[in-house]
């Protein structure tokens, strides 16, 4: 099936506001996606790094998609592939994913800050969520580098005297099968969630030009805190056809420094990062 691309209106919305909601995009496959999600946790002892999920701290598995052949195949799905090629180009890079049982609130933040290269995150929440029960909230327009609004927001966020759940924003209320996608720069948060809020992400970015490869390598260094020696699993690579490989090759060509960083992280940290 050919890719399902975003429309010009959807692209304009994403450029302007830094996010997009796609209600029901994966509604027909959400039951098998959720079953794969739970299989992964069951295989890993139920929670973070082999421990049961105790509802006190976020449990996190990285890279998540990579743990199940059915989830790896989401990268080939014409709806997800079309969304990603529309936003980050035909030769985009898959930049890993995290699977989570979130606990409670997530404060306002951007996922790093990428001034020159577009990074996007697809978020799939596996339970119905509303504004006050942990749905993703975004601040529209907060992704724009150099924009006066983004700069003021960055500077003033901590001085507004407002609790996080009172900051003006757009709550992306969600049902299983809905998709949210946002620019990593976009400020986002969630409030009022349960002790076992199920969610996983797919991170991707535009292909880096040769002269900026060090920036890509620095991003890959960030995987060390999750104690992974390679950014992609054996399952992800074994089940990849040529079309998927195109989205893996630039990271694979720039990950040789990761094992040493991961070795150092294992020595320093009591457990892999929870996010
Ligand atoms: O759902 C949440 O609690 C926040 C998600 C988030 O911050 C992220 O995926 O970057």
């Amino acid at each position: 099936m050919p890719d399902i691309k975003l429309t010009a209106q959807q692209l304009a919305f994403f450029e302007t506001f830094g996010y997009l909601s796609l209600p029901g995009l994966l509604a027909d496959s959400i039951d098998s996606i959720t079953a794969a999600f739970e299989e992964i946790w069951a295989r890993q002892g139920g929670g973070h790094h082999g421990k049961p999920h105790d509802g006190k701290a976020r449990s996190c598995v990285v890279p998540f998609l990579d743990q199940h052949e059915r989830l790896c195949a989401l990268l080939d799905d014409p709806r997800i592939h079309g969304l990603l090629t529309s936003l980050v180009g035909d030769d985009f890079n898959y930049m890993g994913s995290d699977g989570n049982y979130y606990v409670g609130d997530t404060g306002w933040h951007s996922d790093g800050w990428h001034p020159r290269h577009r990074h996007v995150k697809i978020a799939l929440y596996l339970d119905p969520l509303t504004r006050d029960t942990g749905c993703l909230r975004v601040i529209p327009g907060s992704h724009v580098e150099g924009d006066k609004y983004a700069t003021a927001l960055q500077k003033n966020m901590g001085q507004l005297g407002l609790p996080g759940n009172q900051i003006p924003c757009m709550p992306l209320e969600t049902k299983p099968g809905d998709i949210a996608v946002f620019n990593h720069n976009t400020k986002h948060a969630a409030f009022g969630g349960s002790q076992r809020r199920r969610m996983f992400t797919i991170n991707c970015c535009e292909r880096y030009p040769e002269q900026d490869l060090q920036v890509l390598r620095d991003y890959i260094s960030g995987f060390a805190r999750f104690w992974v020696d390679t950014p992609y699993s054996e399952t992800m690579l074994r089940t990849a056809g040529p079309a998927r490989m195109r989205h893996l090759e630039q990271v694979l060509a720039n990950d040789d420094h990761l094992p040493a960083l991961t070795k150092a992280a294992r020595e320093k940290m009591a457990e892999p990062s929870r996010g």
Side-chain angles (χ1 to χ4, degrees), residues 75-235:
L75 284 176
D76 314 323
D77 184 297
R79 296 164 291 188
I80 297 295
H81 194 259
L83 170 62
L84 289 167
T85 56
S86 299
L87 291 174
V88 273
D90 289 345
D91 55 357
F92 71 82
N93 291 327
Y94 166 55
M95 298 300 288
S97 82
D98 50 85
N100 305 283
Y101 289 136
Y102 272 104
V103 172
D105 298 345
T106 302
W108 288 105
H109 65 285
S110 300
D111 291 339
W113 189 268
H114 309 284
R116 291 200 307 281
H117 312 98
R118 182 182 278 180
H119 285 246
V120 300
K121 175 176 279 186
I122 297 178
L124 283 95
Y125 289 87
L126 302 180
D127 301 288
L129 297 173
T130 62
R131 178 193 165 91
D132 295 310
T133 62
C135 82
L136 187 73
R137 300 181 183 208
V138 295
I139 300 186
S142 55
H143 62 300
V144 182
E145 170 76 358
D147 182 84
K148 287 203 174 79
Y149 174 57
T151 310
L153 195 57
Q154 197 77 21
K155 185 162 148 271
N156 296 334
M157 185 67 113
Q159 299 165 30
L160 296 171
L162 287 174
N165 64 358
Q166 300 301 315
I167 301 276
C169 66
M170 173 61 84
L172 307 181
E173 299 198 334
T174 187
K175 290 194 295 299
D178 296 351
I179 298 291
V181 57
F182 58 94
N183 186 313
H184 276 204
N185 292 351
T186 304
K187 287 269 181 283
H188 56 284
F191 298 96
S194 75
Q195 308 310 300
R196 195 174 178 273
R197 193 159 47 92
R198 302 181 300 171
M199 179 265 212
F200 72 96
T201 66
I202 307 174
N203 290 298
C204 293
C205 70
E206 62 187 76
R207 185 163 293 229
Y208 273 66
E210 281 296 310
Q211 69 273 18
D212 292 340
L213 283 179
Q214 188 55 48
V215 183
L216 178 70
R217 292 176 67 84
D218 291 345
Y219 187 106
I220 293 169
S221 301
F223 294 134
R225 72 182 191 279
F226 299 106
W227 293 11
V228 293
D229 289 318
T230 53
Y232 306 137
S233 73
E234 184 276 326
T235 307

